[in-house]
Amino acid sequence: MLIAGFPAGAWGTNCYLVAPAAGEECVIIDPGHQAAPGVEEAIRKHRLKPVAVVLTHGHIDHVASVVPVCGAHDVPAWIHPEDRYMMSDPEKGIGRTIGMPLMGELTVGEPDDVKELTDGAKLELAGLELTVAHAPGHTKGSVTFGLPESADIPPVMFSGDLLFAGSIGRTDLPGGSMDDMLESLARVVLPLDDATVVLPGHNDYTTIGQERATNPYLRQVAAGHSAPGAPRRGM
C-alpha cells in the first residue's frame, strides 16, 4: 500500500494520494488550497495514475483544487450531497467572506463529473475498497473513508475534520453541530480497533488507541458525558 500525504495552502490541509503500490492507479483525498502542485509532484514521484478525487467535506480548505486536479486528469469528484453546494459557493460554507486576495487564487465551481457519497457505501477505486461513513458535526455532509487492514498496513481511517490528534473539528460554522459531532464520534470512531491509524485533515497522524486514551472529547463520549471545553481545530 502507498499513502503519500502533504499539507497544502493557507490552512495546512492534508492532501493524500492512495494507491495499492507505486506505479499504479490512485485516489486523491482532499486536494485543498494550493494542493495541485503537490499532487502533481507526488504523481510524478510515485508514477501514479489518478482515477478519482474523494472529499471528506466541502470546506474550501479541502476542495479548492478539485477543479484543476479533476480537469488535469479527467477524473470525477465524490462528495456527500449535503456539502456539494460549497464547491460553488465556498463563502456560504464558512459564514463569512474569505477575502479577495485569497479568492483570486481559487477556481470556484464543480468539476465536470461529480458523484455523490452515501453512508456505508464501498467505493471500488484504483484497486482499493474505501468504506464511506457519514459523520456530520463539522459540516452536515462530513464523511470519513476507511481502508481495511492488509498484509502491509493496519486499518486506516481518513478522518477529515472529524477527529484530530488530541482534538476534534470545530462545530461553530454553518452546518456544524456539537450534538451531531458527539453522535458521529460515538457511532463512527468508538467502534474502531485501537490499531486503526487516523490520517486527519490537519496536523499529525494518530491512532484510535491513542485517542481513546488521551483525547478529551473521545474519552467523554466513551464515558457517556457531554463534551469538555478543550480547544477544537479546523477551518
Side-chain angles (χ1 to χ4, degrees), residues 214-228:
T214 64
N215 188 307
Y217 292 93
L218 208 56
R219 292 181 68 182
Q220 291 285 12
V221 170
H225 302 311
S226 59

Side-chain angles (χ1 to χ4, degrees), residues 77-185:
W78 293 76
I79 191 168
H80 192 276
E82 297 245 35
D83 277 14
R84 182 170 177 171
Y85 73 94
M86 295 187 208
M87 289 195 287
S88 298
D89 194 357
E91 291 178 354
K92 189 175 180 180
I94 60 174
R96 62 178 172 82
T97 299
I98 295 171
M100 289 307 297
L102 183 57
M103 282 298 293
E105 301 174 14
L106 305 179
T107 306
V108 175
E110 293 190 355
D112 291 338
D113 188 1
V114 178
K115 301 181 184 299
E116 296 187 345
L117 298 166
T118 57
D119 185 43
K122 294 187 184 298
L123 303 182
E124 302 283 350
L125 299 168
L128 307 167
E129 183 180 88
L130 291 170
T131 300
V132 180
H134 186 209
H138 183 61
T139 66
K140 289 185 177 181
S142 289
V143 303
T144 67
F145 298 108
L147 279 174
E149 182 178 8
S150 64
D152 56 347
I153 65 165
V156 174
M157 178 177 73
F158 297 93
S159 64
D161 287 3
L162 171 67
L163 181 68
F164 301 122
S167 191
I168 59 173
R170 61 190 294 179
T171 59
D172 59 331
L173 296 175
S177 164
M178 179 55 78
D179 287 343
D180 287 348
M181 176 67 77
L182 298 178
E183 192 277 334
S184 292
L185 292 172

